Amino acid sequence: MSSLLSKQAIAFLAVAVIGFGIFLPMRAFSQSAPAVTEPAKASLAEQIVTRQAEVTAELARVENQIAAAGDEAPESALREKELLDRIDLLLQQEHGALEQKEESEATVEQLKRDLEQVRTSGPSETAPYSILLLDAVREELRTLRGRMATIEAGVVAAAEAREQARDTLDKREAARRRATETKEGNSNESKSIELARQVRLSELESRAAAEALQLRKIEEERQRALRQVFETRITIATEREKWIASDSTFSQDDLRAKIVELQSKADQVRQQLEIQQSRIEFAERAWLEAKGRHSANTTNDAALAEEVSARRLAFQVHQRERALMTRRVERLVLMKEMWQRRFQIWRENPDRATISTWDADTRVLLDGFDTEHRLQELELRDLAKERVMLQSRLEGLGGEDAGVAQWVHPQIVLKASLGEASDLNLTSIESARRLAERMLDDMGTELATIGVGQRLSDLWKSVLTIWDFEITSIDDRSITVGKVVIGLVLLFLGFFLSKLISTWLGRRVLPRLGMNEGAAAAFRSISFYLLLIGFVFFALRTINVPLTAFTILGGAVAIGVGFGSQNIMNNFMSGLILIAERPVRVGDLIQIGELYGIVQHLGARSTRVLTGTNIEIVVPNSAFLENNVINWTLSESKVRIHVCVGVVYGSPTREVTRLLRKVVEEHGRVLKSPAPTVLFTEFADNSLNFEVHFWIVMRKIMDRRIIESDIRYRIDNLFNEASIVIAFPQRDVHLDTQRPLDIRVLSGRLPGEAQAEPSLATDGSESSGHTTS
């Protein structure tokens, strides 16, 4: 059958090549094929059932062959049975995945009807809704959104698995085709049976890969249907949350129910604490007793040493469990307080200051819960590792270590018990954290409804709080923000008053008293600094800063200025020179060594330069005076650039010159004046070299390179149209043929072997010279 199909394909190709006229009979022949009436396409489930029946029949046949052959069953038959079993298993998985997909699709339809009902009629519960119901719906919505991330990951994984299955199928199909071609091209009858078995196995592997691909497709569809289920559930929960939040209330009965529930849990944990205390005391006595027996024992008793370790671990585990229980009780007390605060927020409308305080306290609690949660998870991970190590140790103990094993097993049980207590503590932390988050939501809603007057009042209180904030203290005198602000204001006023008074004295009063202009100017300067120092002392006294604090500080400042300000003063003075002379301005395109960029900012100490790669580089101002600086746009932004090109020997040089001039003249960004210049520069080794020089306006870093690139593109196009070839490196090899070429044929030899026979020259004589090329 495969041979017939291959021949039909070859015949069809030949007929298509010959002509359309001969193709018509072939088309008529293909239309006369059987299948007059096409049966209705079976559903996917029916197709799977049909394939399962076929595989079952084939499997029964192969099993009969294997049973008949007994121990001498061929390896190919065993492999065939293995592949059929795999195909049967894949079909079963397809059937199960298809049922799950259909179930998810039916669930989506039902959820859509429920969603429509919620949108039109609201939740089934009676309004007004309890806050407990609101919390339950929000918790459900939070859980669903968390699960949605897992579902999305499942969809992505299913798509990747489908692509991998498709690649596997392509490889199996290629192998099947190769096996079929090998069998059809075989002319040796002795190999025909083995080749037929290989074709059969290849076909089964291809069928298995096809079923695996079908399974992955169904799995992907199932994951997508499951994602739609969760999307619809999230939408329903969101709609329910909107309805319930718009008409929810927090009644006294709701608060009482939560308080009673939390109190009951706390009482239960306290009872467990009492029992745990007795366990700790018993474990401590047992540990000390075992420790005493071990100390009194003169032999190296491994079982007794292990008993001491087990007793000590029991004491430590019971202590840790008690600590976890104590934290649970404390957390339940905090949760009671949070529920009471929530009730006040809902019913009693506390003032904004109280809510702000509660908000800060709740955020601190949340940070603590997060820290506890992380630490508890780490502890659980360590406990799991320790249990695995103890279990491995227990399994490695032999019969002679029965005494040691007797005390290793209780340690595993103790670790498991501590793990359960840690799980309970983790659940308690999560419950408290979620309650704190809900309380934050309630306070956020309450804060959002505060009026403008209340907001202004709160803002003023915040300003006063900042004003009285203590920055530091000197000699038991507080330095607050308000005092610092007052001191700075006094310093500025003192500066302007000192300048005003000194100017008035130097220009108005002193000249009238007969003092000459030079003396008046000197007195004016001295009075300015004296007045300024007086105002500084007055400002410091106002903010309660004692002058003795500046004794050590002044010496430290003097030393720091002497040693640390050399480069700073150098750059500062350089900045003044740059500002005065203006060799570099903001927006100039400059180059300092390898740095090439646009000046963005000129500062007192440094200059900021933006490079072509959009990187800002801070350059000290002294670098502009100590190095050669190229300012491309100092006086004007017009620069001359050039592009080089080489053509092969024999090219029309005048035509090359004309085309180069045409290229630059047609470019819109090349200046017409000065006119461009084309130079025939040299007769090079491999080319005739030309340069075209032209002027451009360069305002940005990339202007020059962009224009040069455009020119090169245009040169390449015009040279191609004119059949002018751009040169590339060439080498000419000349041979001296005045005498016969001396050619040697050398064979490799190992050290110690005899010398190879001399090679013969091309003229037949024995060669004794060297090869010449």
Side-chain angles (χ1 to χ4, degrees):
M1 184 64 183
S2 300
S3 176
L4 179 59
L5 291 176
S6 177
K7 293 177 180 178
Q8 287 180 350
I10 296 173
F12 177 77
L13 180 62
V15 170
V17 173
I18 292 173
F20 179 74
I22 306 178
F23 175 71
L24 291 178
M26 193 70 183
R27 183 167 178 263
F29 173 78
S30 63
Q31 292 177 348
S32 64
V36 178
T37 58
E38 183 179 355
K41 186 177 180 180
S43 64
L44 182 57
E46 293 173 349
Q47 295 176 15
I48 293 174
V49 172
T50 303
R51 294 201 297 271
Q52 281 182 316
E54 295 174 355
V55 171
T56 302
E58 293 181 54
L59 191 58
R61 177 181 55 79
V62 174
E63 289 176 347
N64 292 334
Q65 293 178 357
I66 294 174
D71 296 337
E72 298 179 355
E75 184 67 25
S76 60
L78 296 176
R79 176 60 179 164
E80 185 176 355
K81 180 181 181 302
E82 179 183 348
L83 291 172
L84 288 172
D85 287 335
R86 181 183 175 189
I87 295 172
D88 184 60
L89 180 60
L90 289 171
L91 288 169
Q92 294 177 17
Q93 294 176 353
E94 289 178 35
H95 193 274
L98 185 61
E99 289 181 349
Q100 293 177 3
K101 180 185 79 103
E102 293 173 350
E103 182 180 354
S104 297
E105 292 173 349
T107 304
V108 169
E109 296 300 324
Q110 179 62 39
L111 290 174
K112 287 181 179 179
R113 291 191 291 269
D114 295 343
L115 175 60
E116 186 64 26
Q117 182 178 0
V118 171
R119 284 175 174 172
T120 56
S121 305
S124 59
E125 294 82 3
T126 305
Y129 308 103
S130 170
I131 188 176
L132 304 180
L133 177 61
L134 179 60
D135 289 345
V137 172
R138 286 176 174 172
E139 185 63 27
E140 178 189 3
L141 186 58
R142 180 177 180 274
T143 304
L144 288 173
R145 286 171 177 166
R147 286 286 308 278
M148 193 63 190
T150 305
I151 299 299
E152 290 289 351
V155 173
V156 174
E160 293 176 353
R162 173 178 53 80
E163 292 300 324
Q164 292 176 359
R166 187 181 301 278
D167 294 340
T168 302
L169 177 59
D170 293 340
K171 294 177 182 178
R172 293 291 183 266
E173 281 291 298
R176 180 189 60 80
R177 287 190 290 269
R178 287 195 298 270
T180 302
E181 292 174 357
T182 303
K183 176 178 174 298
E184 292 174 352
N186 178 48
S187 59
N188 189 350
E189 293 295 334
S190 61
K191 294 183 179 180
S192 60
I193 298 176
E194 180 63 26
L195 292 176
R197 290 176 179 174
Q198 292 179 3
V199 170
R200 172 61 176 168
L201 293 178
S202 298
E203 291 175 350
L204 289 177
E205 289 179 350
S206 180
R207 285 173 59 185
E211 296 298 342
L213 175 60
Q214 182 66 33
L215 175 61
R216 298 295 174 256
K217 290 180 179 178
I218 298 174
E219 282 289 341
E220 183 180 5
E221 294 174 358
R222 186 183 70 83
Q223 288 289 340
R224 294 185 184 276
L226 188 60
R227 178 177 63 182
Q228 193 173 2
V229 168
F230 274 84
E231 288 176 349
T232 311
R233 285 181 177 174
I234 290 174
T235 306
I236 293 174
T238 303
E239 292 293 329
R240 280 172 53 82
E241 193 268 341
K242 291 180 182 178
W243 276 85
I244 296 172
S246 63
D247 191 10
S248 57
T249 182
F250 196 167
S251 65
Q252 188 71 40
D253 294 336
D254 295 333
L255 176 62
R256 189 179 302 109
K258 294 305 297 185
I259 295 298
V260 169
E261 177 187 349
L262 294 174
Q263 186 62 44
S264 175
K265 291 181 179 179
D267 292 340
Q268 292 177 4
V269 178
R270 288 191 181 97
Q271 292 175 3
Q272 295 175 5
L273 272 173
E274 296 177 359
I275 300 173
Q276 194 68 22
Q277 184 61 34
S278 61
R279 291 177 179 173
I280 291 174
E281 295 173 357
F282 176 79
E284 185 178 12
R285 288 195 301 268
W287 172 39
L288 294 176
E289 181 185 350
K291 187 176 180 182
R293 286 189 282 109
H294 182 264
S295 301
N297 189 11
T298 58
T299 61
N300 188 12
D301 192 347
L304 185 56
E306 193 65 34
E307 179 185 359
V308 174
S309 299
R311 299 290 188 185
R312 183 179 65 251
L313 180 61
F315 174 68
Q316 294 172 349
V317 166
H318 292 326
Q319 280 189 324
R320 179 57 182 162
E321 290 175 345
R322 180 181 63 181
L324 294 178
M325 291 179 185
T326 303
R327 287 296 301 142
R328 286 169 57 192
V329 173
E330 295 173 356
R331 213 170 288 120
L332 289 170
V333 174
L334 288 174
M335 293 175 68
K336 286 171 58 178
E337 184 178 356
M338 283 191 284
W339 274 107
Q340 291 170 351
R341 289 183 176 182
R342 289 190 71 190
F343 180 79
Q344 295 179 35
I345 293 171
W346 278 71
R347 298 293 296 272
E348 300 178 5
N349 296 324
D351 57 31
R352 183 178 176 83
T354 302
I355 295 179
S356 299
T357 303
W358 290 353
D359 183 85
D361 294 343
T362 306
R363 294 185 186 277
V364 172
L365 283 177
L366 267 178
D367 292 339
F369 293 152
D370 291 338
T371 302
E372 282 187 303
H373 196 278
R374 289 193 297 269
L375 293 176
Q376 191 63 75
E377 286 183 337
L378 291 175
E379 184 177 356
L380 278 170
R381 194 176 305 143
D382 293 339
L383 283 172
K385 293 179 180 179
E386 291 171 1
R387 287 166 57 188
V388 171
M389 292 173 60
L390 287 171
Q391 187 66 38
S392 300
R393 182 186 174 195
L394 180 62
E395 294 173 355
L397 293 175
E400 63 278 2
D401 299 323
V404 176
Q406 178 184 0
W407 293 104
V408 173
H409 183 268
Q411 296 181 53
I412 299 175
V413 176
L414 286 169
K415 293 291 185 181
S417 176
L418 183 56
E420 294 176 0
S422 299
D423 284 331
L424 290 175
N425 188 55
L426 201 61
T427 304
S428 174
I429 295 172
E430 185 66 23
S431 300
R433 184 171 64 177
R434 293 183 182 178
L435 178 58
E437 290 174 350
R438 290 196 289 268
M439 185 175 175
L440 280 179
D441 293 338
D442 295 340
M443 289 187 291
T445 304
E446 187 66 21
L447 292 174
T449 59
I450 299 297
V452 178
Q454 183 66 36
R455 291 181 183 274
L456 293 176
S457 176
D458 295 338
L459 179 61
W460 177 247
K461 291 179 181 178
S462 300
V463 171
L464 291 179
T465 302
I466 297 174
W467 184 267
D468 295 331
F469 178 76
E470 182 178 352
I471 300 175
T472 184
S473 62
I474 300 177
D475 291 344
D476 200 25
R477 296 180 182 180
S478 62
I479 306 297
T480 63
V481 174
K483 292 179 180 180
V484 172
V485 172
I486 293 174
L488 292 176
V489 172
L490 290 176
L491 285 177
F492 282 113
L493 290 176
F495 175 80
F496 288 111
L497 286 175
S498 300
K499 188 174 183 180
L500 181 62
I501 294 173
S502 61
T503 303
W504 177 71
L505 288 175
R507 294 182 179 179
R508 299 290 180 89
V509 177
L510 297 178
R512 292 181 181 181
L513 296 177
M515 187 175 292
N516 59 38
E517 184 177 355
F523 185 83
R524 182 181 63 186
S525 300
I526 295 173
S527 63
F528 168 75
Y529 287 112
L530 290 176
L531 289 171
L532 182 60
I533 293 173
F535 277 112
V536 169
F537 287 156
F538 176 73
L540 294 175
R541 181 64 181 173
T542 302
I543 63 176
N544 294 330
V545 176
L547 300 181
T548 55
F550 291 92
T551 304
I552 301 176
L553 180 62
V557 170
I559 295 174
V561 170
F563 287 97
S565 63
Q566 298 179 9
N567 292 332
I568 296 176
M569 292 303 299
N570 183 19
N571 291 319
F572 179 74
M573 296 303 298
S574 300
L576 295 179
I577 296 173
L578 290 177
I579 294 173
E581 294 185 357
R582 304 189 70 192
V584 175
R585 301 161 299 181
V586 174
D588 284 351
L589 185 60
I590 65 169
Q591 182 177 356
I592 307 178
E594 298 297 329
L595 176 61
Y596 193 92
I598 296 175
V599 178
Q600 296 289 309
H601 173 72
L602 279 171
R605 189 195 65 84
S606 61
T607 298
R608 191 168 66 246
V609 179
L610 181 67
T611 67
T613 56
N614 202 32
I615 297 176
E616 291 186 344
I617 298 178
V618 179
V619 182
N621 287 332
S622 59
F624 290 93
L625 301 181
E626 297 172 357
N627 300 291
N628 295 328
V629 180
I630 299 176
N631 192 334
W632 295 90
T633 57
L634 177 60
S635 58
E636 60 177 345
S637 57
K638 184 171 65 175
V639 297
R640 187 178 71 176
I641 61 176
H642 70 279
V643 174
C644 302
V645 64
V647 297
V648 299
Y649 277 86
S651 301
T653 56
R654 293 297 180 183
E655 181 66 14
V656 171
T657 302
R658 186 187 69 81
L659 292 177
L660 292 177
R661 183 175 288 107
K662 178 181 179 182
V663 168
V664 296
E665 289 176 350
E666 290 179 350
H667 198 283
R669 298 186 63 179
V670 175
L671 298 179
K672 305 300 181 182
S673 178
T677 303
V678 180
L679 300 178
F680 185 176
T681 58
E682 62 176 334
F683 295 94
D685 293 338
N686 305 300
S687 62
L688 304 175
N689 292 342
F690 290 81
E691 292 181 1
V692 54
H693 294 256
F694 51 93
W695 293 79
I696 65 171
V697 175
M698 186 169 64
R699 296 186 179 91
K700 296 181 181 179
I701 298 175
M702 289 298 293
D703 284 350
R704 173 178 179 176
R705 304 192 67 177
I706 291 174
I707 295 174
E708 290 176 348
S709 176
D710 293 342
I711 294 297
R712 293 187 180 99
Y713 276 124
R714 185 60 177 158
I715 289 174
D716 183 65
N717 291 337
L718 290 182
F719 278 18
N720 287 335
E721 294 175 0
S723 299
I724 297 175
V725 179
I726 297 177
F728 53 86
Q730 301 181 26
R731 293 291 181 271
D732 293 337
V733 180
H734 300 276
L735 301 177
D736 184 5
T737 57
Q738 295 180 359
R739 59 189 182 88
L741 298 178
D742 187 9
I743 300 174
R744 293 170 179 262
V745 179
L746 301 178
S747 60
R749 69 180 188 277
L750 297 174
E753 291 183 356
Q755 176 68 32
E757 292 296 328
S759 61
L760 297 180
T762 55
D763 59 355
S765 61
E766 185 176 300
S767 174
S768 60
H770 60 275
T771 303
T772 303
S773 60

